[in-house]
């Protein structure tokens, strides 16, 4: 389908006629004496009569070429372009941020299946979360790791392999030994500011209680609610432990409730699998369809034809009016 970016440019079509009408060629009347013996008079004055200057009227061919060139130029001015068939693309209308605790307590080896040797908490989390990431389809996924400080490991991307690879490259203590849960949520909120989708999901996994955040987890959850971020909180530690190693289920539950999200407990590998399966079921796939037409600019075609006609006419005039060397007679 042919489209024009500036269709109003066609009003320029009668411009040459308007110029000719409003600004005609300059004519000048001068006084003159007509004498019948002009030749003898000029000879007596020692002058040689020559033809006077005159304005040549444009011929039919030149006028026709000028009209055609102007038509091609006017055809190029509206910037014509050819719009192809519509192409539709379906993509997820959701961004998911994963916030993973890397504090020192994640090094404990108390996660494992029935009859299996317990493994490090972080290793179990990596396996389960990697499976969850692989099932995201067209979702944009980001990764935040936190300990004493919170860091964006991966900004929002659809490159799920990169997210999984950087998750598996994470190690216990790389963000510090403590647990800054509130700061991790605050960093996620700032990261969501670059998101233009309606559905924003934050999944936080921690095995301890907040010990060093500059923003309290509850206040962070309230700000998340105001920014339309839904939080799923996963407590993967021991609620009966002491000090920093004790996972604060009550705080995590309040954070999830504040954002109209869900709270889950995961005390072992099987519980962790079940938690992420429930989160997966609670996140039905939301998609949006984007339709666009590939467009090809065509303005160069009429503009190029006008240029070719001008060059051709100039070449013809040059060949026709070029000076001819007189023949020298042989001695």
């Amino acid at each position: 389908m042919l489209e024009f970016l500036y269709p109003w440019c066609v009003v320029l079509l009668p411009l040459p006629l308007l110029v000719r009408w409003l600004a005609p060629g300059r004519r000048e009347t001068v006084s003159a004496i007509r004498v019948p013996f002009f030749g003898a008079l000029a000879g007596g004055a020692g002058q040689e009569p020559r033809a006077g200057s005159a304005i040549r009227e444009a011929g039919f061919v030149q006028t026709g070429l000028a009209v055609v060139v102007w038509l091609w130029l006017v055809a190029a001015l509206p910037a014509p372009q050819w719009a192809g068939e519509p192409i539709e693309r379906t993509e997820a209308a959701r961004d998911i941020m994963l916030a993973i605790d890397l504090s020192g307590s994640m090094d404990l080896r108390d996660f494992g299946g029935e009859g299996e040797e317990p493994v490090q908490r972080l290793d179990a989390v990596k396996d389960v979360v990697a499976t969850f990431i692989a099932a995201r389809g067209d979702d944009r996924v980001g990764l935040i790791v936190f300990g004493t400080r919170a860091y964006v490991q991966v900004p929002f991307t659809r490159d799920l392999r990169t997210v999984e690879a950087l998750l598996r490259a994470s190690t216990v203590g790389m963000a510090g030994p403590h647990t800054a849960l509130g700061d991790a949520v605050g960093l996620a909120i700032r990261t969501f500011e670059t998101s233009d989708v309606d559905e924003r999901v934050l999944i936080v996994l921690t095995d301890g209680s907040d010990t060093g955040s500059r923003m309290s987890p509850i206040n962070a959850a309230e700000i998340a609610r105001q920014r339309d971020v839904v939080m799923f909180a996963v407590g993967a530690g021991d609620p009966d432990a002491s000090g920093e190693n004790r996972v604060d289920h009550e705080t995590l539950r309040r954070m999830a409730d504040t954002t109209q999200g869900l709270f889950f407990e995961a005390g072992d590998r099987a519980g962790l699998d079940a938690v992420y399966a429930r989160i997966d079921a609670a996140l039905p796939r939301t998609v949006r369809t984007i339709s666009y037409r590939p467009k090809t600019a065509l303005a160069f075609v009429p503009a190029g034809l006008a240029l070719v006609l001008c060059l051709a006419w100039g070449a013809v005039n040059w060949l026709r009016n070029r000076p001819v060397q007189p023949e020298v007679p042989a001695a």
Side-chain angles (χ1 to χ4, degrees), residues 34-58:
R34 298 183 63 182
V35 294
F37 45 88
F38 176 73
L41 184 62
Q47 300 294 327
E48 180 182 355
R50 291 176 296 177
S53 61
I55 299 176
R56 295 178 57 188
E57 293 291 336

Side-chain angles (χ1 to χ4, degrees), residues 140-152:
R140 289 204 314 168
V141 178
L143 176 63
I144 288 177
V145 295
F146 65 96
T148 306
R149 294 287 184 268
Y151 303 95
V152 176

Side-chain angles (χ1 to χ4, degrees), residues 1-7 78-84 293 295-296 298:
M1 182 175 64
L2 190 62
E3 296 180 353
F4 299 91
L5 290 180
Y6 314 108
Q81 56 186 10
W82 182 260
R293 290 175 176 266
K295 296 181 179 180
T296 304
L298 300 176

Side-chain angles (χ1 to χ4, degrees), residues 184-269:
V185 177
L187 179 58
I189 294 171
R190 289 197 298 271
T191 307
F192 274 116
E193 291 179 354
T194 62
S195 174
D196 60 353
V197 299
D198 297 329
E199 190 172 350
R200 306 172 180 183
V201 179
L202 171 62
I203 303 175
V204 180
L205 183 144
T206 181
D207 70 340
S209 58
D210 188 274
T211 56
S213 292
R214 289 166 291 183
M215 176 187 297
S216 72
I218 301 302
N219 288 342
E222 177 61 28
I223 296 174
R225 182 191 65 80
Q226 297 172 4
R227 303 294 174 84
D228 299 323
V229 177
V230 178
M231 184 185 306
F232 292 82
V234 181
D238 184 359
D240 298 324
S242 60
E244 188 175 340
N245 293 334
R246 173 183 173 274
V247 62
D248 190 349
H249 284 178
E250 181 59 28
T251 297
L252 292 175
R253 183 178 286 106
R254 287 179 59 189
M255 293 172 68
D257 292 342
T258 299
T259 63
Q260 299 181 347
L262 298 173
F263 165 71
F264 303 94
E265 298 180 27
D268 55 20
R269 170 63 183 269

Side-chain angles (χ1 to χ4, degrees), residues 276-294:
Y276 275 88
R278 291 179 61 188
I279 294 176
D280 195 17
L283 294 175
R285 187 167 182 261
T286 304
V287 299
R288 61 181 177 181
T289 300
I290 300 176
S291 178
Y292 69 96
R293 290 175 176 266

Side-chain angles (χ1 to χ4, degrees), residues 11 65 89 119 134 149 179 233 240 267 269 286 291 305 319 324:
V11 301
L65 284 175
R89 187 182 69 183
V119 298
R149 294 287 184 268
T179 305
D240 298 324
R269 170 63 183 269
T286 304
S291 178
L305 290 174
L319 291 174
V324 178

